[in-house]
Amino acid sequence: MGGGPGGTRTREGRTLTGSTPQRPKRGRPSRLSREHIVTAAYEIILKEGAENLTMRRLASALGSTAMAVYHHVRDKDELLTLTLEHAARALPRPELPEEPRERLATVCGLMHQAFVSNPWVVPIVARGELVDMPAVWMTEEIVGALVGCGLSRERAVEAHRTIWYYTAGQILATVPRPGGPGLPPAAAPAEAEGRHHYLRGVRHILDGVLPAPGSH
Amino acid sequence: MGGGPGGTRTREGRTLTGSTPQRPKRGRPSRLSREHIVTAAYEIILKEGAENLTMRRLASALGSTAMAVYHHVRDKDELLTLTLEHAARALPRPELPEEPRERLATVCGLMHQAFVSNPWVVPIVARGELVDMPAVWMTEEIVGALVGCGLSRERAVEAHRTIWYYTAGQILATVPRPGGPGLPPAAAPAEAEGRHHYLRGVRHILDGVLPAPGSH
DNA sequence: ACCTGAACACCGTTCAAGT
DNA sequence: ACCTGAACACCGTTCAAGT
């Protein structure tokens, strides 16, 4: 990447900013932006694992240098946080069943799935205090559904925390060793089994936390 | 527990006669041993945090060189595992109440306390598959007490896993940022509160997992 | 304002010797 | 057998410039 001086008219300059046409990988952006950086970081993490995301690796993927990145991002920690938010934004938010208890199980399943799809976030989430990481709406849905099941706001928050801790621990213990460029296909059954176990555990916690079905 | 070549401990000793006089830091051992190394590593972790344990730092604490350590330990990973086992061995094992449900709460409290006292083990435990880390007897006690509460062996193992995941997640989210040489004294109330919340969560899980108290 | 190359202060670990 | 110093292949990050 000598970056010859003959760049001529590569700077397409004026208004890229409106609604970006989104051409994230083709071509090679002559100017960095936070969005480009985060997108590239996200791709590296998905393809090569979070432990292979280095400032130099990222820079080379961007056709730039490590130090150029630092002009847009304070440090690697901020980069990771940004990338995590990027991933959270990409999470699906499907329709949820009305019945509170079904709704709970569904949201928990989604939360679990979100972590299974992005196992690299677990250590990052874990080390911050950002307990409500997966996506704020999940936290709100869970607390809301718990209230819908008859819990006070206070106990609902407490119960949510119990579920969240359980979820974090389950993912942490279950997630496959990082490193491989892609998940080995043999992991699919293990993943399904992990999901099954997780949901059983959630159901147990709900049994303990919610008032008995009849005692309304 | 493979152990190195000639795994016999106490090669230095004709008879150390049980209770080693224990002079772990005074003087400077001219010859390294696995035990010295692990003890020194443990002290560094306790005093300066696990993230400050480097091979060079450890070597200098031993009055030796980094490479000398490698003659007794395969790599840093093995060193950490050894140190973790060392810490597990130092855990207290007090009398436990007979009544299974009380026994459960007590063991869970001990497990939690073990992690609070040694927060550095959490990431290490998490990344291995050594789910039964804190100490094997804790796992056995918990499963045993669950069986004592009326669960089948199979469901007891499952319930143990639920509790374990919850515990790991709670510690992970609760433990203070590492780095400081010692806990700030202001952390004591937070620690008590964390313990309280943890135990409430455990009780909820037990409520969900165990047969109703009357339904024997 | 944005980007660059070189350099700093670290890592874990390998190598070729020393005794 | 045990230990050593030097070196390798990395990190994240700072600095002093370049345009």
Side-chain angles (χ1 to χ4, degrees):
Chain A
M1 306 308 163
T8 51
R9 39 137 55 171
T10 32
R11 47 168 76 241
E12 55 267 304
R14 45 218 65 189
T15 41
L16 275 190
T17 22
S19 62
T20 40
Q22 227 158 352
R23 197 172 276 262
K25 47 172 64 166
R26 279 289 132 256
R28 129 188 210 270
S30 43
R31 292 186 148 230
L32 263 35
S33 75
R34 268 180 162 232
E35 206 185 321
H36 284 138
I37 289 171
V38 168
T39 307
Y42 186 49
E43 275 178 19
I44 291 174
I45 286 177
L46 289 185
K47 273 187 238 157
E48 308 174 23
E51 76 285 2
N52 285 322
L53 175 66
T54 71
M55 299 307 267
R56 287 169 174 88
R57 173 80 192 78
L58 172 61
S60 96
L62 288 162
S64 182
T65 81
M67 293 311 98
V69 176
Y70 276 93
H71 205 268
H72 297 83
V73 151
R74 193 198 317 284
D75 53 19
K76 197 181 179 182
D77 219 74
E78 189 183 64
L79 173 67
L80 286 173
T81 305
L82 254 23
T83 311
L84 188 147
E85 284 167 14
H86 177 83
R89 239 174 285 124
L91 252 33
R93 184 172 183 175
E95 285 288 317
L96 297 172
E98 288 296 331
E99 200 277 313
R101 185 142 178 162
E102 269 181 63
R103 200 178 180 90
L104 269 172
T106 307
V107 181
C108 287
L110 286 171
M111 177 164 69
H112 184 259
Q113 186 52 48
F115 281 114
V116 169
S117 307
N118 306 38
W120 55 277
V121 309
V122 178
I124 302 170
V125 170
R127 89 159 127 67
E129 314 162 28
L130 351 159
V131 174
D132 36 39
M133 232 331 74
V136 207
W137 64 265
M138 288 189 183
T139 301
E140 282 161 3
E141 283 291 354
I142 291 173
V143 173
L146 286 165
V147 168
C149 283
L151 261 48
S152 72
R153 186 101 201 151
E154 200 183 348
R155 303 201 63 166
V157 169
E158 182 187 74
H160 164 262
R161 211 160 30 197
T162 303
I163 293 172
W164 158 250
Y165 292 156
Y166 166 69
T167 306
Q170 207 265 2
I171 290 290
L172 214 87
T174 289
V175 129
R177 291 301 230 130
L183 313 188
E191 212 174 285
E193 204 202 3
R195 180 184 172 77
H196 182 229
H197 276 126
Y198 168 76
L199 286 173
R200 280 179 64 86
V202 165
R203 233 171 296 136
H204 278 147
I205 293 176
L206 292 179
D207 284 342
V209 144
L210 297 179
S215 74
H216 185 270
Chain B
M1 320 313 185
T8 52
R9 73 286 307 292
T10 62
R11 65 152 355 63
E12 67 250 272
R14 31 230 69 177
T15 36
L16 283 188
T17 37
S19 65
T20 43
Q22 225 158 359
R23 196 174 275 265
K25 48 170 68 164
R26 279 289 132 258
R28 130 190 213 268
S30 43
R31 292 187 148 231
L32 264 37
S33 76
R34 268 178 162 231
E35 206 186 322
H36 285 137
I37 289 172
V38 168
T39 307
Y42 187 48
E43 276 178 18
I44 290 174
I45 286 176
L46 289 185
K47 274 188 236 155
E48 308 172 23
E51 77 282 3
N52 285 321
L53 176 67
T54 72
M55 300 306 266
R56 287 170 174 86
R57 172 81 193 76
L58 172 62
S60 94
L62 288 163
S64 182
T65 83
M67 293 311 98
V69 176
Y70 276 93
H71 204 267
H72 296 84
V73 151
R74 194 198 316 284
D75 53 18
K76 196 181 179 183
D77 220 73
E78 188 184 62
L79 173 66
L80 286 174
T81 305
L82 255 22
T83 310
L84 190 147
E85 284 167 14
H86 176 81
R89 241 174 282 123
L91 252 34
R93 184 170 182 177
E95 284 288 318
L96 296 173
E98 288 297 333
E99 200 279 312
R101 184 140 178 164
E102 270 181 62
R103 200 178 179 91
L104 268 172
T106 307
V107 181
C108 287
L110 286 171
M111 177 164 70
H112 184 259
Q113 185 53 48
F115 281 116
V116 168
S117 308
N118 306 28
W120 56 276
V121 308
V122 177
I124 302 170
V125 169
R127 88 158 128 67
E129 313 162 29
L130 351 160
V131 174
D132 38 38
M133 233 329 77
V136 206
W137 64 265
M138 289 188 182
T139 301
E140 282 162 3
E141 283 290 355
I142 291 174
V143 172
L146 286 164
V147 169
C149 285
L151 261 49
S152 73
R153 187 99 200 153
E154 200 182 348
R155 304 201 61 166
V157 168
E158 183 187 74
H160 164 262
R161 210 161 31 198
T162 303
I163 294 172
W164 159 250
Y165 291 157
Y166 166 69
T167 306
Q170 206 265 2
I171 290 291
L172 213 87
T174 289
V175 131
R177 290 301 228 130
L183 313 187
E191 210 174 286
E193 205 202 2
R195 179 184 172 77
H196 182 228
H197 277 126
Y198 169 76
L199 286 172
R200 280 178 65 86
V202 165
R203 233 171 295 136
H204 279 146
I205 294 176
L206 292 179
D207 284 343
V209 144
L210 296 179
S215 76
H216 185 270

